[in-house]
Amino acid sequence: MNIVVTGGAGFIGSNFIFHMLKTHKDYRIICFDKLTYAGNLSTLSKVMENPQFAFIRGDICDRKAVDELFQKEHPDIIVNFAAESHVDRSIEQPDIFLQTNVMGTVVLMDACRKYGITRYHQVSTDEVYGDLPLDRPDMLFTEQTPLHTSSPYSASKASADLMVMAYHRTYGLPVSISRCSNNYGPYHFPEKLIPLMIVNALHDKPLPVYGEGLNVRDWLYVEDHCKAIDMILHGQCNGEVYNIGGHNEMKNIDIVKLICKHLGKSEDLITYVTDRKGHDLRYAIDPSKITRDLGWCPETKFEDGIKKTIQWYLEHQEWWRDIISGEYQNYYKKMYENR
Ligand SMILES: NC(=O)c1ccc[n+]([C@@H]2O[C@H](COP(=O)([O-])OP(=O)(O)OC[C@H]3O[C@@H](n4cnc5c(N)ncnc54)[C@H](O)[C@@H]3O)[C@@H](O)[C@H]2O)c1
């Protein structure tokens, strides 16, 4: 089995590659990644020598490069993680989100049609459903919830999902889609909430929290997400959409306080900054379809997952220190200074 993982030098894609190489030792895994600011080849260093693994640098929007990938590697399955993934950046510069997240998906699926595959899997997000009220804990996103996006990021992901279903219906392309809640764990780029707070707290820097920090997210340990995708690839899931979530709703401010507690830092580091434009209030996933159909359940409790994650950032300082010393510094200043 040859599996192409696009965006595999990023956070979830790299964790997925490690999971697949560990659990399916006879599979060949090919990572295809453009290495944008969010992609990091050092993340993949521990598998670079594995004969079952190959890395190819390339852009999913580049038809010629994607054609060459298919001609060389003859993939059976494509798992598309490649995306511009940060909401704040989408508010600053929406066009690259349309290009990568929508056009890149179309280019990949065109190649799937041309060369033939057994499954194209689209890694999507719960953000395609918009948000839920804070005072209605009974309301959850199901696969039937209408797409109702808020940010250029979520609009681009929803557009890609619609194209995936259109290719399935129109051309009979074998596809599946997973819509997951917020992930956390190792190799998470330090612009996102949890790693940002860990790294800042370790430097005794202010912990910038949007608004009053009351926004709620449903956090899932990244390994549980990877296991869910593995199950979808191996199940009778052609044409199906699956929600994946951790049954673990938490307010942003509570996460930040928990990180302070684990690192022995004062909550005085918390600074409230002007809220994100159009900030979604609450996401909450009903994952009962994937549990019923495939037997998937989240395995890592948040208390354990967050301890493991903090420990990982303490033990892998060279990984994130390299990242934050570069271009990221300019981005950080733009986003949080004078806010
Ligand atoms: N992080 C989350 O909590 C979360 C939750 C649900 C869904 N998702 C989805 O999962 C996927 C992966 O998210 P992530 O957090 O790992 O993202 P990430 O930003 O950490 O990684 C994205 C990767 O895609 C690569 N990439 C970007 N543009 C590319 C292009 N044109 N061609 C090839 N490669 C390209 C980058 O180099 C990077 O390695 C995304 O599609 C995202 O929408 C993420």
Side-chain angles (χ1 to χ4, degrees):
M1 175 87 81
N2 292 341
I3 303 187
V4 164
V5 178
T6 64
F11 165 44
I12 310 175
S14 60
N15 279 284
F16 180 73
I17 288 171
F18 303 147
H19 165 81
M20 293 302 278
L21 287 170
K22 197 167 74 188
T23 50
H24 304 282
K25 294 205 186 306
D26 53 335
Y27 286 11
R28 183 170 155 77
I29 308 291
I30 304 105
C31 173
F32 185 78
D33 197 297
K34 184 180 175 185
L35 297 181
T36 66
Y37 80 93
N40 194 339
L41 210 46
S42 75
T43 301
L44 297 170
S45 55
K46 68 178 177 191
V47 294
M48 279 298 185
E49 301 300 316
N50 186 327
Q52 296 301 105
F53 175 75
F55 176 81
I56 297 174
R57 186 170 191 178
D59 184 341
I60 59 166
C61 303
D62 178 346
R63 283 187 189 274
K64 192 164 163 282
V66 170
D67 257 20
E68 282 167 13
L69 169 73
F70 274 71
Q71 284 163 11
K72 181 163 181 266
E73 301 294 346
H74 308 290
D76 301 292
I77 293 177
I78 304 290
V79 186
N80 182 25
F81 290 92
E84 288 294 333
S85 68
H86 193 35
V87 175
D88 287 342
R89 288 180 188 260
S90 81
I91 294 167
E92 294 296 307
Q93 196 194 350
D95 51 351
I96 180 74
F97 284 71
L98 289 185
Q99 180 63 16
T100 299
N101 299 359
V102 185
M103 281 314 297
T105 297
V106 166
V107 169
L108 284 173
M109 290 194 299
D110 282 343
C112 290
R113 287 181 59 213
K114 185 168 164 187
Y115 295 99
I117 35 100
T118 57
R119 183 80 65 78
Y120 172 87
H121 182 77
Q122 178 75 358
V123 180
S124 186
T125 164
D126 60 355
E127 298 193 32
V128 299
Y129 299 121
D131 63 354
L132 295 164
L134 290 173
D135 58 355
R136 288 290 308 274
D138 57 309
M139 287 176 75
L140 302 171
F141 296 136
T142 73
E143 291 80 1
Q144 274 71 49
T145 302
L147 304 187
H148 185 74
T149 57
S150 314
S151 69
Y153 164 69
S154 55
S156 70
K157 294 295 290 183
S159 307
D161 283 12
L162 292 172
M163 288 306 287
V164 172
M165 294 320 284
Y167 270 55
H168 177 64
R169 169 95 186 239
T170 308
Y171 307 116
L173 192 72
V175 303
S176 46
I177 297 177
S178 52
R179 295 184 179 141
C180 191
S181 59
N182 280 48
N183 285 215
Y184 68 101
Y187 299 108
H188 205 178
F189 193 82
E191 68 185 348
K192 304 283 172 65
L193 182 77
I194 289 181
L196 175 69
M197 296 303 155
I198 296 173
V199 168
N200 277 18
L202 286 173
H203 287 97
D204 293 309
K205 276 172 64 174
L207 305 178
V209 171
Y210 283 141
E212 295 174 69
L214 300 179
N215 306 62
V216 170
R217 302 291 181 261
D218 175 359
W219 292 94
L220 180 72
Y221 194 60
V222 63
E223 217 170 276
D224 281 326
H225 185 187
C226 296
K227 286 180 185 166
I229 295 173
D230 185 359
M231 286 178 163
I232 294 170
L233 297 181
H234 289 90
Q236 302 294 316
C237 304
N238 184 12
E240 296 293 336
V241 176
Y242 285 103
N243 283 354
I244 306 171
H247 285 303
N248 181 56
E249 289 182 54
M250 289 188 71
K251 289 192 196 101
N252 288 349
I253 188 65
D254 292 338
I255 301 246
V256 179
K257 287 182 178 171
L258 197 66
I259 290 170
C260 289
K261 189 172 146 224
H262 280 304
L263 289 173
K265 300 289 180 180
S266 164
E267 289 181 12
D268 292 344
L269 288 174
I270 296 172
T271 27
Y272 295 95
V273 300
T274 313
D275 210 350
R276 170 189 280 168
K277 292 187 182 90
H279 203 172
D280 281 339
L281 293 174
R282 172 176 164 251
Y283 305 137
I285 280 272
D286 173 1
S288 49
K289 180 178 171 191
I290 188 168
T291 302
R292 192 178 59 242
D293 286 6
L294 303 175
W296 177 88
C297 283
E299 291 171 22
T300 306
K301 290 199 188 79
F302 188 77
E303 309 87 87
D304 300 332
I306 195 72
K307 274 192 214 143
K308 276 202 274 189
T309 303
I310 292 173
Q311 194 56 32
W312 188 90
Y313 278 85
L314 287 170
E315 287 170 5
H316 294 81
Q317 302 211 10
E318 75 297 343
W319 181 84
W320 54 261
R321 283 190 191 283
D322 278 356
I323 292 172
I324 63 171
S325 62
E327 174 55 28
Y328 176 64
Q329 281 305 330
N330 297 331
Y331 165 79
Y332 191 87
K333 282 193 193 127
K334 189 170 161 200
M335 293 314 293
Y336 294 110
E337 267 183 14
N338 308 319
R339 190 150 180 163

